[in-house]
Amino acid sequence: MEGSELSSERAITPAEMAADREKLNEILSGSEYGAYRTMAAEGENALKRLFLKLWEAIRGWLPDTAVPRTFADVIAYAVILAGLALLIWLLIWIGRSLAGNRTVLRKIGLSEKELRGASSSRYMEQALQAERSSDYKECLRYLFLALLIDANERGWLRAERWKANGEYALELKASKPELLPLFRSTASLFERVWYGSMEADRDSVVRLRLEIEARLTAGEADGYATGE
């Protein structure tokens, strides 16, 4: 049975192979494939020209009398690689800033002067006033600022208008990791209420206020007074 099946398979003739090669040549020589090869070659040539211009510019900064050309080539390579690394780092940093987090103090509208004179105890007083007025969204804003400025006063982070919550979290992770869960939960609730569609409810805000009050009170008990 196996022998009859094998014998039934027909070998490809030289004429058929020649016909297949001719069809392949027609495809490769067609206008669509030719346009693709032209575009690829033009892109590659443009990149080569740019690289060569950059290469010659860097080499031109190093006179022939100063260093051997081989050493100049090494320096040129190093400068180009360093530039590429810097570009990649900038792209990552910009991506993180855009996708991950907001520059919260600028979004809140806190000026540089207000930031320098900020006091965690004053923000806690304003949070309590907002809570008594049932303005829980505004209360949440002051609670977030109280926690952030308290950490700034203690030197656990440095509050800046251009920083995002991600930067603050990294600073706390290095200086005060036990505060990180409270900061993250506060920042998360704040962003969902202020920049999302979530409503600030009394129970969540009061519970958060008690946690932050306990944190500030613990600092005072350790001999640290919050700013006035």
Side-chain angles (χ1 to χ4, degrees):
M1 176 67 70
E2 293 181 359
S4 62
E5 290 179 355
L6 291 174
S7 61
S8 64
E9 294 181 358
R10 186 173 60 85
I12 299 176
T13 64
E16 289 173 332
M17 293 180 64
D20 290 341
R21 282 197 298 269
E22 185 176 349
K23 288 180 181 180
L24 178 60
N25 289 332
E26 288 177 1
I27 294 172
L28 295 178
S29 60
S31 59
E32 293 183 358
Y33 186 76
Y36 167 77
R37 287 191 302 178
T38 301
M39 291 176 60
E42 289 176 352
E44 183 179 354
N45 290 335
L47 185 60
K48 285 182 178 179
R49 287 195 299 270
L50 178 62
F51 183 80
L52 288 174
K53 286 182 180 180
L54 181 61
W55 178 269
E56 291 302 325
I58 296 174
R59 290 184 62 176
W61 298 338
L62 304 171
D64 291 336
T65 56
V67 293
R69 298 310 294 174
T70 53
F71 185 64
D73 290 345
V74 172
I75 294 179
Y77 266 124
V79 171
I80 291 173
L81 291 175
L84 290 174
L86 178 60
L87 177 61
I88 292 172
W89 181 85
L90 285 173
L91 291 174
I92 293 173
W93 184 84
I94 292 172
R96 284 178 54 196
S97 298
L98 292 177
N101 312 294
R102 301 172 183 271
T103 53
V104 288
L105 296 183
R106 189 173 293 169
K107 285 282 185 181
I108 287 174
L110 202 68
S111 68
E112 194 69 33
K113 182 179 180 180
E114 289 172 322
L115 175 60
R116 296 309 160 208
S119 164
S120 59
S121 60
R122 185 163 63 249
Y123 282 133
M124 280 302 302
E125 291 173 3
Q126 291 173 308
L128 287 169
Q129 292 173 5
E131 182 184 326
R132 294 189 193 104
S133 302
S134 300
D135 189 349
Y136 300 116
K137 181 177 180 180
E138 193 67 13
C139 178
L140 180 59
R141 172 179 180 267
Y142 287 126
L143 288 175
F144 175 78
L145 285 171
L147 181 62
L148 182 66
I149 297 305
D150 177 65
N152 178 75
E153 290 167 347
R154 302 189 195 204
W156 295 334
L157 56 76
R158 184 174 178 82
E160 300 285 357
R161 293 183 69 244
W162 55 266
K163 284 184 180 178
N165 284 336
E167 278 82 14
Y168 293 132
L170 289 174
E171 290 180 65
L172 287 175
K173 185 177 181 180
S175 61
K176 194 69 173 177
E178 58 268 33
L179 183 61
L180 194 54
L182 178 58
F183 175 81
R184 281 178 170 164
S185 62
T186 304
S188 175
L189 182 59
F190 169 78
E191 290 191 349
R192 282 181 289 161
V193 169
W194 274 81
Y195 307 122
S197 57
M198 182 177 177
E199 292 288 333
D201 66 277
R202 180 184 180 278
D203 291 343
S204 298
V205 172
V206 170
R207 184 166 55 250
L208 182 62
R209 189 254 302 167
L210 292 173
E211 288 187 65
I212 294 176
E213 274 185 335
R215 167 59 61 182
L216 269 61
T217 303
E220 294 173 355
D222 292 337
Y224 174 84
T226 56
E228 296 294 339

